[in-house]
Amino acid sequence: MVVVGAGAVGQTAAQRSARTGLHVALVESELVGGEEAFWACRPSKMLLRPGAVMGDVRAVPGLGAAELDTQATFAARDAMVSHWRDDEEVARLRGSPVTLLRGMARLAAERTVTITAAGGEQTVAARHAVIVATGSEPGVPDVPGLRQTRLWTSRDATSCHHVPDRLAVLGGGAAGVEAAQVYAALGAQVTVLARGSRLVPWTEPFVGATLADTLTAAGVRVLTGARAERVWRDPAGVHVAVAHGGAPVRVDADELLVVTGRHPATGDLGLDAVGLTPGDPLTTDASGQVIGVPGGWLYAAGDVTGRTRTTHEGQYHARVAGDVVAARFGVDLDARLAEAQAAPPYRITASTGAQVLFTRPQVAWTGLTLAQARQARHDVRVVDVDLSTLAAATVRGTGYQGQARFVVDVSGPVLAGATFVGPDVAELVHAATVAIVAQVRLDVLWHAVAVHPTLSQVWPCFLAAYGL
């Protein structure tokens, strides 16, 4: 079989497929490891970490001041991404049933992929299946002058080696908020331009309000409800004409980071050769099989499907697709997979959409927000908990502030969604995800005793406020 794309999602699909004796060709046109390893999750979190730790240190009595070393921060980031060399990633593939092929892959016909590289073009025929895991690519909004202006994408923000004096961030989502915090901590004057009425608008309203307050306190200028109308660059820098609050505003900067969203990377994948539309997401069923392609040989996982926008969800989809392919076509089947050959049990269930912003404070959420639950006509009740009342908050340092919101489907009663804002809340989200996926009744959760003093004591506080 062939897997197109050797990022985290593609590698997962390849490894799962190869477990039952399949020989897998893994095709990559850039670095093995992909966006997550070299330009997204890992380097961005490495850049966020020093500022977050500096804030934590300053909050603990007796530790004194902390200063951030910009060049040391960049050097640590460079080391983490192996200076943008994928030797270690490639070495992990050696000795496995996975063969790496370098080049740009395009679908040419049923089960057939052409690979174009500097040395020419080769055609690879998959006996059984092809899994596409090409991820997503940044979109550029239709703003006059923007496409003609030199700008930063998320890759530039995570790989640069200098801090601009002035940085404008177009986009108030997760990537925009994290980048704003990074560069503010590194000393840049940052302006965030968010088109929506609040930051990260798909989360609970208090999330955006908290992030706006903390960014403002860090010296970031936050403009919500801001619509970019024109962009141009001259010797003085890059300029954005903005409509904000019914009045024109001009934002001047040295660099403009555009992070207004991403779209599936299918534009140059050869989809037309198999009856699909280039540029469209690859719509899949619950097994990861692409809908609309006869023969059941084409699968997809990750951002390219339009079903997810995170590495962890993409890898989950890849595990499903890889296991289905292994069960259908594998030659060295164990009893479990042999039984699954006729009707694989592996299915993608409804996603909880669990996600974390590694800002300070951290933001973590999973499941439905209150607005989403009401839109879906669930009978819900909300319980809010002030995290600063927990003993763990007092122990952690001065000035701890945080909030948790639990959305309960009262028909269970079971948890339908949870949102946490505060230092170190990222570790709370998985317990909430397990509760949602397993549909654990609240009266059962009541018996899961939380350790004292930890932030997990938010759970008994929530259950007590609910009335248990």
Side-chain angles (χ1 to χ4, degrees):
M1 61 164 296
V2 176
V3 176
V4 180
V9 174
Q11 288 191 57
T12 298
Q15 291 159 1
R16 301 290 290 200
S17 300
R19 293 185 307 153
T20 56
L22 290 174
H23 293 281
V24 180
L26 181 62
V27 188
E28 178 54 56
S29 62
E30 294 188 295
L31 296 177
V32 175
E35 202 77 16
E36 182 272 338
F38 294 101
W39 296 286
C41 301
R42 296 188 207 179
S44 68
K45 277 44 178 183
M46 177 62 84
L47 291 174
L48 280 160
R49 183 65 175 157
V53 172
M54 182 173 65
D56 291 344
V57 168
R58 290 174 176 174
V60 178
L63 289 184
E67 298 300 329
L68 196 155
D69 185 326
T70 300
Q71 292 310 311
T73 298
F74 285 150
R77 183 272 320 274
D78 293 350
M80 168 172 269
V81 299
S82 302
H83 301 273
W84 289 276
R85 294 181 58 88
D86 62 1
D87 302 35
E88 293 182 12
E89 298 280 347
V90 172
R92 293 190 188 99
L93 297 176
R94 296 194 184 107
S96 75
V98 178
T99 300
L100 176 65
L101 301 176
R102 300 276 193 177
M104 178 66 71
R106 301 184 85 251
L107 298 172
E110 181 175 335
R111 296 183 177 87
T112 305
V113 176
T114 59
I115 304 170
T116 305
E121 184 176 284
Q122 63 176 313
T123 299
V124 177
R127 179 175 297 177
H128 297 301
V130 174
I131 299 180
V132 176
T134 50
S136 61
E137 53 196 7
V140 178
D142 190 18
V143 177
L146 184 58
R147 296 178 186 274
Q148 293 75 43
T149 301
R150 188 181 77 248
L151 52 84
W152 273 12
T153 67
S154 55
R155 285 194 174 190
D156 298 292
T158 57
S159 63
C160 79
H161 287 86
H162 77 283
V163 178
D165 292 333
R166 304 166 300 169
L167 175 67
V169 179
L170 187 58
V177 169
E178 288 190 344
Q181 194 161 83
V182 165
Y183 282 94
L186 293 174
Q189 295 179 358
V190 181
T191 300
V192 175
L193 303 171
R195 186 170 185 133
S197 59
R198 64 178 191 267
L199 300 176
V200 202
W202 57 88
T203 60
E204 296 285 4
F206 67 85
V207 171
T210 300
L211 290 172
D213 288 345
T214 55
L215 286 174
T216 300
V220 176
R221 184 186 183 194
V222 179
L223 300 179
T224 56
R227 186 179 73 253
E229 296 191 319
R230 187 166 70 93
V231 177
W232 71 99
R233 185 182 282 275
D234 60 26
V238 61
H239 314 283
V240 186
V242 179
H244 178 253
V249 175
R250 180 172 132 170
V251 175
D252 303 312
D254 298 296
E255 300 292 350
L256 172 62
L257 169 62
V258 178
V259 279
T260 53
R262 301 177 67 88
H263 56 81
T266 65
D268 194 27
L269 190 58
L271 295 189
D272 50 339
V274 295
L276 300 176
T277 303
D280 283 357
L282 293 177
T283 305
T284 61
D285 64 14
S287 72
Q289 190 176 117
V290 176
I291 295 170
V293 178
W297 59 273
L298 185 61
Y299 291 78
D303 289 9
V304 74
T305 68
R307 297 180 65 167
T308 178
R309 56 188 176 192
T310 61
T311 299
H312 46 275
E313 288 279 353
Q315 287 182 298
Y316 163 55
H317 293 176
R319 290 195 296 271
V320 171
D323 283 356
V324 168
V325 169
R328 285 185 64 191
F329 307 113
V331 295
D332 183 22
L333 299 172
D334 61 25
R336 179 175 61 87
L337 290 179
E339 182 182 351
Q341 226 176 348
Y346 316 107
R347 291 290 183 268
I348 298 169
T349 62
S351 169
T352 67
Q355 193 170 345
V356 174
L357 300 186
F358 289 89
T359 48
R360 188 177 189 274
Q362 290 179 349
V363 180
W365 66 91
T366 184
L368 302 176
T369 64
L370 175 58
Q372 290 166 344
R374 285 175 173 168
Q375 186 176 13
R377 299 187 180 279
H378 292 300
D379 184 8
V380 295
R381 178 180 163 191
V382 168
V383 175
D384 291 329
V385 178
D386 182 353
L387 296 181
S388 68
T389 63
L390 301 178
T394 305
V395 171
R396 196 180 177 285
T398 59
Y400 186 104
Q401 293 183 328
Q403 182 177 347
R405 168 165 289 182
F406 298 89
V407 180
V408 177
D409 183 338
V410 299
S411 65
V414 293
L415 191 65
T419 299
F420 308 94
V421 176
D424 296 336
V425 297
E427 300 304 333
L428 293 174
V429 75
H430 187 62
T433 300
V434 171
I436 294 170
V437 171
Q439 291 287 280
V440 182
R441 287 177 54 90
L442 298 193
D443 56 350
V444 176
L445 283 178
W446 188 87
H447 294 281
V449 179
V451 175
H452 176 82
T454 67
L455 291 178
S456 290
Q457 288 188 304
V458 67
W459 288 95
C461 290
F462 147 56
L463 294 170
Y466 188 79
L468 295 176

